[in-house]
């Protein structure tokens, strides 16, 4: 912990009278952070505000909030809590994170705090980097997260970023710091848990200092990202203004600068939902811009329409009239034809409105789009392929409905399912082994 103290002293210069908001869950990591800051408070008179979010998904949540409130009262620490009453986003973890950080930011402003601290540590960084590499991300995304993030009037600080979980647990044991255990952290259904339980032990066995290598990797990527950002700053507003991208100047730029500009545009479009941004969207936008067609368009999530008109590309919000789309298939997708596709855990029926798949046989993530010229599907229980156009004709689908009818593909472009109409060779019977179920309503 001396290393953490030295870094704090060197990098953020805590001073008498500063207020620090701490994101604390009651788990071991955040309780270690709280106790560590209590130790610092003995030498530097600062004010501490504990911010606790009850995610309202486990029965133990109320007990954890009470435990933490009593602990804060014992040590004269201001305690603030909130409870998330309901969720609306398809991505629970993403929505919970957004709500959590909005709550933290409100407290920072309420108490005029200089710092917001969270207990993210070295193991968290390794997990995040590996998950981003596996999923695909940006240069900055591949770096995981930063130790210090500057905002206009405060900083987010992650003082434990160089500490391993083992070091944190040793600190808790030495000082007899109480904490609560979230049992969901041991369930393999969560992606991060699988990395934590199976990948990290292997890496640490290979090199006990591997966390320092990942930290250096992260720092190096951030330095390169900062350099690229500086180059983008020079041309961004000359290339993109008022939701309009000027192709003549954009296409003259280096491909890396082009990509950074597009990611920055997407970050502006989806400021509270960055998890929706995927490299696939960048590829779609680049294909549109380099197409020989003078007038064309694509759709991004949430009905955002990207329109190419000769030498410009314009971003349009919440399009009411849609005749083409492509979007990633998550837990729930509302379709322009007023139907939706929903991921379910079980289903007794076996019609064409149900899609059972094995993730071992398809390339994730899946996407849902409108049909394209020449589309073919390898039908379930049949040999060879059949044109989607002919299937629509055979099934007597009205012409006006065909343009919006969803077609589900995997990341290789293989047609997996025509919801409500036909299944592909990738479909599984109820008696087969599968781990994905979608329902079309």
């Amino acid at each position: 912990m001396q290393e953490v103290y030295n870094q704090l002293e060197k990098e953020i210069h805590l001073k008498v009278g500063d207020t620090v908001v701490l994101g604390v869950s009651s788990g071991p990591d955040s309780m270690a952070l709280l106790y560590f800051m209590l130790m610092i408070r003995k030498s530097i008179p600062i004010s501490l505000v504990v911010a606790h979010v009850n995610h309202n998904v486990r029965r133990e949540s109320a007990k954890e909030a009470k435990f933490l409130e009593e602990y804060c009262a014992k040590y004269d620490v201001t305690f603030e809590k909130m409870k998330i009453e309901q969720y609306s986003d398809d991505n629970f973890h993403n929505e919970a994170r957004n709500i959590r950080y909005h709550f933290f930011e409100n407290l920072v402003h309420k108490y005029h705090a200089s710092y917001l601290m969270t207990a993210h540590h070295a193991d968290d960084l390794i997990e995040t980097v590996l998950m981003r590499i596996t999923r695909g991300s940006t240069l900055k995304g591949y770096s995981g997260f930063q130790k210090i993030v500057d905002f206009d009037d405060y900083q987010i600080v992650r003082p434990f970023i160089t500490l391993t979980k083992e070091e944190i647990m040793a600190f808790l044991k030495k000082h007899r710091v109480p904490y609560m255990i979230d049992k969901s952290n041991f369930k393999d259904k969560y992606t991060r848990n699988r990395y934590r339980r199976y990948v990290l032990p292997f890496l640490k066995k290979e090199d006990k200092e591997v966390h320092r290598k990942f930290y250096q990797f992260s720092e190096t990527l951030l330095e390169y990202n900062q350099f690229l950002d500086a180059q983008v700053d020079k041309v961004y507003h000359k290339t993109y203004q008022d939701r309009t991208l000027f192709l003549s100047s954009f296409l003259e730029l280096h491909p890396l600068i082009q990509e950074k500009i597009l990611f920055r545009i997407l970050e502006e479009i989806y400021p509270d939902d960055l998890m929706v941004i995927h490299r696939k969207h960048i590829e779609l936008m680049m294909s549109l811009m380099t197409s020989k067609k003078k007038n064309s368009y694509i759709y991004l999530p949430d009905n955002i329409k990207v329109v190419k008109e000769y030498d410009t590309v314009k971003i349009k919000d919440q399009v009411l009239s849609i005749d083409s789309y492509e979007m990633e298939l998550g837990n729930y997708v509302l379709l322009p034809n007023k139907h939706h596709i929903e991921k379910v855990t079980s289903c007794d029926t076996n019609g064409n409105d149900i899609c059972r798949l094995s993730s071992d046989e398809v390339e994730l993530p899946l996407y849902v789009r409108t049909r394209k010229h020449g589309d073919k599907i390898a039908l379930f229980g049949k040999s060879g392929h059949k044109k989607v156009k002919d299937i629509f004709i055979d099934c007597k689908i009205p012409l006006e409905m065909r343009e919006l009818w969803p077609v589900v593909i995997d990341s290789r472009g293989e047609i997996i399912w025509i919801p409500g109409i036909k299944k592909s060779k990738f479909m599984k019977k109820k008696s087969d082994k599968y781990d994905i179920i979608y329902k079309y309503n």
Side-chain angles (χ1 to χ4, degrees):
M1 284 294 182
Q2 186 61 44
E3 176 186 0
V4 176
Y5 182 83
N6 292 340
Q7 288 177 346
L8 282 181
E9 188 177 46
K10 178 183 177 181
E11 296 182 44
I12 73 169
H13 311 295
L14 271 173
K15 62 183 182 297
V16 174
D18 276 344
T19 297
V20 180
V21 174
L22 305 174
V24 183
S25 67
S26 81
D29 307 333
S30 58
M31 288 303 296
L33 175 63
L34 173 54
Y35 189 82
F36 177 73
M37 294 307 296
L38 288 172
M39 293 172 64
I40 287 182
R41 191 177 67 172
K42 292 178 181 179
S43 56
I44 307 175
I46 57 176
S47 297
L48 299 177
V49 178
V50 161
H52 176 73
V53 177
N54 178 348
H55 291 92
N56 198 23
V57 293
R58 294 178 297 112
R59 286 178 295 180
E60 300 86 356
S61 296
K63 182 179 179 181
E64 291 166 355
K66 183 179 180 182
F67 156 79
L68 187 55
E69 186 169 11
E70 291 175 351
Y71 189 88
C72 289
K74 178 180 178 180
Y75 289 95
D76 191 27
V77 173
T78 302
F79 178 73
E80 293 270 8
K81 65 180 179 180
M82 76 159 292
K83 181 179 180 181
I84 302 177
E85 296 295 343
Q86 62 181 6
Y87 296 89
S88 58
D89 201 297
D90 293 338
N91 188 322
F92 156 73
H93 292 288
N94 183 59
E95 183 175 10
R97 182 188 183 281
N98 289 334
I99 293 173
R100 192 163 60 243
Y101 274 89
H102 280 142
F103 174 59
F104 293 164
E105 185 176 31
N106 287 338
L107 291 179
V108 165
H109 294 143
K110 175 180 177 179
Y111 290 96
H112 305 288
S114 302
Y115 308 100
L116 165 63
M117 292 188 182
T118 65
H120 293 90
H121 51 77
D123 288 15
D124 292 327
L125 181 63
I126 295 175
E127 293 161 10
T128 303
V129 169
L130 291 174
M131 289 166 64
R132 297 273 177 83
I133 290 174
T134 303
R135 177 184 180 271
S137 188
T138 63
L139 186 62
K140 183 178 180 181
Y142 289 132
S143 70
F145 49 79
Q146 297 172 250
K147 185 197 311 185
I148 299 175
V149 181
D150 292 313
F151 289 90
D152 291 339
D153 50 356
Y154 74 100
Q155 292 179 316
I156 294 180
V157 182
R158 300 178 174 101
F160 287 177
I161 196 170
T162 58
L163 292 182
T164 64
K165 183 73 170 187
E166 290 83 357
E167 290 173 311
I168 290 173
M169 296 306 293
F171 174 79
L172 291 169
K173 183 177 180 180
K174 177 181 178 181
H175 295 281
R176 298 181 180 180
V177 180
Y179 56 86
M180 306 288 280
I181 293 293
D182 179 353
K183 294 180 180 178
S184 69
N185 288 333
F186 303 102
K187 295 181 178 180
D188 281 356
K189 71 176 183 177
Y190 297 115
T191 304
R192 183 176 291 274
N193 291 352
R194 297 195 294 274
Y195 281 88
R196 182 175 299 156
R197 296 184 65 190
Y198 305 115
V199 182
L200 258 66
F202 168 77
L203 293 175
K204 290 184 176 184
K205 186 177 180 180
E206 290 291 304
D207 183 353
K208 64 180 181 180
E209 294 293 309
V210 70
H211 63 285
R212 298 194 181 278
K213 313 292 175 56
F214 269 80
Y215 178 67
Q216 186 57 55
F217 173 74
S218 173
E219 289 288 287
T220 301
L221 290 187
L222 287 170
E223 288 177 8
Y224 280 103
N225 184 70
Q226 288 170 1
F227 173 78
L228 281 175
D229 277 343
Q231 305 310 307
V232 170
D233 288 342
K234 297 176 182 178
V235 297
Y236 187 69
H237 292 296
K238 297 177 183 177
T239 308
Y240 180 71
Q241 296 178 22
D242 299 324
R243 292 264 179 140
T244 300
L245 190 70
F246 303 102
L247 285 179
S248 56
S249 56
F250 176 81
L251 294 177
E252 291 179 352
L253 300 172
H254 190 281
L256 282 176
I257 303 300
Q258 292 177 352
E259 183 177 288
K260 288 287 290 182
I261 287 175
L262 294 184
F263 269 112
R264 187 177 291 189
I265 290 172
L266 291 179
E267 287 170 358
E268 290 180 5
I269 296 173
Y270 307 101
D272 295 322
D273 201 7
L274 296 182
M275 289 295 289
V276 79
I277 300 174
H278 196 278
R279 186 165 295 278
K280 179 71 173 178
H281 302 136
I282 299 297
E283 293 171 1
L284 284 171
M285 294 176 77
M286 283 303 305
S287 294
L288 176 71
M289 293 174 202
T290 56
S291 169
K292 293 181 179 180
K293 293 182 179 179
K294 300 295 184 182
N295 295 278
S296 187
Y297 56 86
I298 59 170
Y299 285 95
L300 297 177
D302 299 331
N303 290 350
I304 299 294
K305 189 175 185 180
V306 184
V307 182
K308 179 181 179 182
E309 298 174 345
Y310 296 98
D311 196 38
T312 63
V313 171
K314 298 182 179 180
I315 312 295
K316 300 186 178 181
D317 283 328
Q318 301 296 333
V319 182
L320 298 178
S321 177
I322 297 177
D323 49 18
S324 176
Y325 60 87
E326 177 164 343
M327 62 191 85
E328 188 170 330
L329 184 56
N331 292 329
Y332 181 93
V333 173
L334 180 62
L335 300 167
N337 67 354
K338 306 304 179 184
H339 290 262
H340 67 267
I341 299 176
E342 181 179 10
K343 197 171 188 178
V344 296
T345 55
S346 63
C347 186
D348 293 330
T349 60
N350 201 37
N352 288 321
D353 60 332
I354 298 297
C355 171
R356 292 183 177 88
L357 300 169
S358 168
S359 57
D360 293 332
E361 297 181 7
V362 295
E363 189 73 26
L364 300 177
L366 303 181
Y367 293 87
V368 57
R369 62 165 171 78
T370 46
R371 67 182 179 121
K372 294 181 178 180
H373 179 72
D375 270 350
K376 293 181 180 180
I377 181 173
L379 292 173
F380 179 77
K382 305 284 186 180
S383 60
H385 290 71
K386 187 166 184 176
K387 289 183 178 180
V388 171
K389 176 184 177 181
D390 293 339
I391 291 173
F392 282 153
I393 293 172
D394 293 344
C395 295
K396 295 181 171 53
I397 304 299
L399 187 61
E400 65 273 14
M401 295 177 64
R402 297 177 197 174
E403 300 307 315
L404 289 182
W405 203 281
V407 174
V408 175
I409 62 171
D410 72 357
S411 292
R412 297 169 300 190
E414 287 272 5
I415 295 181
I416 305 298
W417 179 37
I418 307 176
I421 297 179
K422 290 292 182 182
K423 301 178 180 182
S424 75
K425 66 179 183 180
F426 298 100
M427 291 297 163
K428 297 296 179 184
K429 299 177 182 178
K430 289 176 64 177
S431 57
D432 292 337
K433 181 181 178 182
Y434 53 86
D435 57 349
I436 300 171
I437 311 175
Y438 278 104
K439 185 176 177 61
Y440 176 69
N441 291 297

